Amino acid sequence: MIHMGKSNKVQTQFVKIKQDSAEKFLKLLKKKLHNETFLDRRTKVKHEGVYVLFPLIDDAEKVKMLIGGISNQINFDIVSAEGVAEENYKFHSIEEALVGELPENILELIPKSYDIIGKIAIVEFDQINTITEKNILFYKKKVAEALVRINKSVETVYEKLSEVKGRYRLKDLKIIYGDDNPETIHKENDCLFKLDVKKTYFTPRLVFERKRVSSSSFKKQETIVDMFTGVGPFSIQIAKNNDVKIYAFDVNPSAYKYLIKNIDINKIKGKIIPHNMDVKTLLNPNSKLGNYLKHKIDRIIMNLPEQSVNFLDVACFLMKKSSGIIHSYQFCEKPNPIKKGIENLSTILQKSGWYIEEILKSKIVKPFSPKSDLIVLDLKLKLFA
Ligand SMILES: C[S@@+](CC[C@H](N)C(=O)[O-])C[C@H]1O[C@@H](n2cnc3c(N)ncnc32)[C@H](O)[C@@H]1O
C-alpha cells in the first residue's frame, strides 16, 4: 500500500504488460470489469524496456478478480516492484483518496457529499453509522483525513449528529478532525461571513438562491425586511451593490452578533439595520418599531421554510398597501410542491385581505426529504381594494 506523505517509495504490485498491448488492457478493464477500481492512481506508472507497469491497489481479492476476468484474453504478469508516489495527483472524491486504505465494504458506505463553510467541513456519516464495528471512529477519522487532503482550505471536520432543530435552527456537531474551533469566515458571492457553525444557522447550499435574489432589480432606496436573517447572507449580498434599506431580524443573539460583524467587514452600498428580536413582536400594538414600519415595506424575505407561512400576518402588516414582493421559502410535500405552496399562502392571505397579484418566480430550490422539497415563491402581493 502507498502511504502518501509518509514514504515516497513502497513495494507495490503491478500489472506488467507489453507496451503495444497496454491500450487493449485498459479497454478490457473498462468493458469486461465495468470500470471497477484496480489501478492505484496515486502511484506512478513505470516503463521498463518494451513493458509498461500499471500499479495495482492493495487488495488481494481485486487482483484475483482481475486475473480471473481478463487473463484469458490478454497476456500480462503480476509483479512486485518499488512504487513511486504520484505527487501531483489530485483526488476527485474522498472514496478515491481512500482506495486501498479502507476495506471495500466500508468504502461503499462513506459519504459522497459534505458541506464546506470556511475552513470547516461538516459531514453526515449516516451509512457508516449503520454498522456495528468497533472501528467506526477510525473509519470516520480516515474519511476526515481524506477530506482535508483533497480540500486544502479545510482544517476542521465535524460530524453532523442531528438535523437543524429548535428556534435558532441549529444542529449538533461532533469534532472528528482538527481543532474544535467552530468559528470561521466563509466567502460567498464576493461577500464574507464570519460565523460560528455551532451557535448560528448557515448553509452553503443556498449560494445560488442568494445570488438569484440579490441579482433582482431593486428600486432606489427600496425598503426591505429580512425576517429571519441569520448571520445576514441575504441582506449583505443584496446591500452589497444596491442602494437599499434593509431591516434585518433574528431572534438568536449569536446570529445578531455575527450579523453586526458581517455588516462591518463587507463594504456595502446599502444600509442594514440589525435587530435581535422575534419578528412577531412587531405586531404588538405597543411596538414602536412595528408601528414605524407598518405598511412601509417594499419587499420581504421569509427564509424560515418550516414556519414561514405562520409569519404571513407580519408580512401583511409590514407590506406597502399599494403592493410589495415576498420571497417565501417553504418545505412542501411532493407531488406538486409548488401548487401546495401557493395554496398555503393564498388561503392565509385571503383571510388578511390580501391576494397574489403576480407569481414572479416559483421553483424547487432543492430536495429536502424523500417526501418534500424546499421551494421558493417570489410573489407580488396586493391588498384587496
Ligand atoms: C433557516 S435560518 C435562515 C438564516 C438566513 N436567512 C440564511 O439564509 O442563512 C432561520 C433563522 O431565523 C431565526 N428565527 C427563527 N424564528 C424567528 C423569529 N420568530 N424572529 C426572528 N428570527 C427568527 C433563527 O434564529 C435562524 O437564524
Side-chain angles (χ1 to χ4, degrees):
M1 188 196 300
I2 304 290
H3 295 280
M4 297 296 148
K6 286 182 193 163
S7 160
N8 200 27
K9 293 179 178 176
V10 180
Q11 207 61 18
T12 305
Q13 285 199 306
F14 289 83
V15 166
K16 185 173 180 181
I17 191 159
K18 281 220 169 118
Q19 222 147 35
D20 52 13
S21 303
E23 201 177 324
K24 183 177 173 194
F25 168 73
L26 294 174
K27 275 191 184 154
L28 280 171
L29 278 193
K30 221 176 187 178
K31 209 167 154 202
K32 296 274 170 191
L33 296 167
H34 314 294
N35 269 337
E36 284 256 8
T37 314
F38 296 98
L39 305 184
D40 182 353
R41 295 168 67 187
R42 297 167 298 175
T43 305
K44 283 188 173 147
V45 172
K46 293 174 93 157
H47 298 272
E48 282 177 3
V50 294
Y51 290 96
V52 54
L53 279 77
F54 291 109
L56 288 170
I57 62 165
D58 186 24
D59 184 329
E61 282 305 309
K62 278 283 176 108
V63 175
K64 260 198 231 161
M65 187 174 163
L66 178 75
I67 297 169
I70 59 171
S71 61
N72 58 346
Q73 294 175 60
I74 191 162
N75 283 328
F76 62 86
D77 288 320
I78 304 288
V79 299
S80 187
E82 204 170 67
V84 177
E86 187 71 78
E87 273 140 23
N88 294 327
Y89 181 72
K90 266 193 99 177
F91 297 103
H92 299 95
S93 65
I94 307 177
E95 193 175 353
E96 193 190 351
L98 288 174
V99 168
E101 292 192 27
L102 289 184
E104 277 288 298
N105 62 327
I106 300 299
L107 278 181
E108 281 168 20
L109 305 178
I110 65 177
K112 304 283 179 284
S113 66
Y114 45 87
D115 284 343
I116 294 183
I117 304 176
K119 63 173 177 58
I120 294 169
I122 298 177
V123 190
E124 243 176 293
F125 288 103
D126 43 354
Q127 293 211 64
I128 289 192
N129 282 334
T130 59
I131 60 173
T132 49
E133 280 196 46
K134 59 181 185 325
N135 285 338
I136 202 160
L137 187 59
F138 169 78
Y139 298 145
K140 288 179 184 176
K141 283 189 186 294
K142 277 292 206 192
V143 168
E145 277 167 24
L147 197 157
V148 171
R149 240 187 292 159
I150 62 175
N151 295 283
K152 298 286 175 234
S153 60
V154 173
E155 294 171 15
T156 294
V157 181
Y158 286 109
E159 176 179 4
K160 180 178 162 195
L161 292 182
S162 73
E163 291 307 319
V164 289
K165 57 186 164 75
R167 205 172 186 208
Y168 300 164
R169 313 312 294 147
L170 305 178
K171 45 189 174 282
D172 297 332
L173 299 173
K174 182 180 163 193
I175 188 76
I176 299 290
Y177 179 97
D179 289 342
D180 187 0
N181 173 7
E183 191 175 74
T184 189
I185 297 182
H186 183 75
K187 192 169 180 189
E188 183 180 284
N189 298 329
D190 284 336
C191 295
L192 297 174
F193 297 98
K194 193 164 189 180
L195 63 112
D196 181 316
V197 292
K198 288 187 181 171
K199 291 189 185 149
T200 60
Y201 174 94
F202 185 85
T203 175
R205 297 184 192 200
L206 289 184
V207 53
F208 299 114
E209 191 47 28
R210 292 191 277 251
K211 178 90 191 158
R212 186 187 72 80
V213 173
S214 61
S215 306
S216 310
S217 63
F218 296 93
K219 289 186 287 188
K220 200 168 182 313
Q221 287 285 304
E222 188 171 311
T223 314
I224 301 170
V225 162
D226 186 0
M227 277 194 180
F228 314 105
T229 193
V231 299
F234 277 97
S235 289
I236 286 168
Q237 287 177 47
I238 293 172
K240 174 91 180 160
N241 297 312
N242 294 290
D243 178 15
V244 293
K245 192 170 187 182
I246 306 180
Y247 294 88
F249 295 90
D250 205 291
V251 72
N252 175 359
S254 297
Y256 174 72
K257 181 184 106 180
Y258 285 104
L259 169 65
I260 289 175
K261 283 192 177 138
N262 293 332
I263 295 171
D264 210 36
I265 59 175
N266 287 282
K267 285 198 184 92
I268 55 173
K269 186 173 178 188
K271 192 168 175 48
I272 299 177
I273 303 128
H275 288 281
N276 181 207
M277 57 185 267
D278 179 341
V279 80
K280 269 278 186 201
T281 59
L282 292 173
L283 295 179
N284 186 327
N286 298 324
S287 164
K288 264 193 182 167
L289 184 61
N291 287 320
Y292 174 70
L293 295 178
K294 188 174 177 184
H295 297 315
K296 284 212 177 77
I297 305 301
D298 295 295
R299 184 188 298 262
I300 300 173
I301 301 159
M302 305 179 75
N303 178 220
L304 182 63
E306 46 288 291
Q307 276 192 46
S308 62
V309 290
N310 300 331
F311 288 83
L312 264 185
D313 50 355
V314 186
C316 294
F317 176 80
L318 297 172
M319 188 70 82
K320 273 187 182 162
K321 285 182 179 173
S322 53
S323 86
I325 294 169
I326 60 167
H327 301 276
S328 165
Y329 293 85
Q330 297 176 57
F331 293 131
C332 290
E333 275 194 17
K334 297 186 254 193
N336 305 321
I338 291 185
K339 188 166 170 262
K340 284 177 187 140
I342 294 171
E343 280 166 8
N344 290 340
L345 297 183
S346 302
T347 320
I348 302 172
L349 282 172
Q350 246 175 11
K351 284 183 196 153
S352 332
W354 289 75
Y355 68 98
I356 300 170
E357 189 183 23
E358 193 183 344
I359 299 171
L360 302 171
K361 177 94 187 165
S362 61
K363 70 166 190 160
I364 294 172
V365 178
K366 60 184 178 93
F368 173 65
S369 71
K371 287 191 175 161
S372 64
D373 289 325
L374 171 64
I375 66 154
V376 62
L377 300 171
D378 298 350
L379 306 174
K380 198 167 177 193
L381 303 187
K382 210 171 163 63
L383 192 63
F384 277 114

